[in-house]
Amino acid sequence: GRDIVEAHYRACLYAGIRVSGTNAEVMPAQWEYQVGPTPGIDMGDDLWVSRYILHRVAEDFGVVVSLDPKPMPGDWNGAGAHTNFSTEPMRKPGGMAAIQDAIDKMSKHQSRHIKAYDPKEGKDNERRLTGAHETSSIHDFSAGVANRGCS
């Protein structure tokens, strides 16, 4: 896995994509990479192009990439897109109020967001969001500071 990760990292940097790190994960053969920090709309472009590059690099190694949230059943974490964002008010003094406001708004639409995030309207993520292995239940919204178990 490490050879693929390093080749992908180098290809992304060569393409101008801001990749800030990589790490192995719990599930066998699972690796993660972080895109950003990236300003504004570039984030979406960098994410999609980095995924394209990942698939092409994997071809060179004779393997197939899966973006399935839990491609291998077992007693371990699944895989999800950890997305961090901020708005200008969130970065200013007193920004925690803007963050709390955004969290409150998201909490009211948890079910709708799960359905939109998953092409099968939540069915794929039910295998990952079990409440075990540092995840919340797919049925609950949670938020917190430095809490890996929050949704």
Side-chain angles (χ1 to χ4, degrees), residues 27 66-80 114 117-139:
M27 187 172 52
S66 174
L67 300 177
D68 186 277
K70 194 145 185 181
M72 295 171 36
D75 189 23
W76 44 61
N77 307 27
I114 286 290
Y117 175 72
D118 182 334
K120 294 183 180 168
E121 297 189 343
K123 295 300 178 196
D124 282 340
N125 275 299
E126 280 182 337
R127 293 179 282 121
R128 180 178 71 89
L129 297 172
T130 63
H133 305 297
E134 300 177 318
T135 69
S136 293
S137 165
I138 194 167
H139 305 291

Side-chain angles (χ1 to χ4, degrees), residues 4 12 26 38-39 58 68 70 75 78 83 107 109 116 145 149:
I4 297 169
C12 284
V26 177
T38 304
D68 186 277
K70 194 145 185 181
D75 189 23
T83 307
S107 73
H109 302 282
V145 175

Side-chain angles (χ1 to χ4, degrees), residues 33-81:
Y33 66 97
Q34 295 85 39
V35 174
T38 304
I41 199 153
D42 288 347
M43 180 62 235
D45 293 340
D46 283 358
L47 177 61
W48 279 104
V49 174
S50 73
R51 287 178 171 180
Y52 169 77
I53 291 171
L54 179 59
H55 284 274
R56 293 303 304 269
V57 166
E59 287 177 10
D60 290 342
F61 289 87
V63 298
V64 176
V65 171
S66 174
L67 300 177
D68 186 277
K70 194 145 185 181
M72 295 171 36
D75 189 23
W76 44 61
N77 307 27

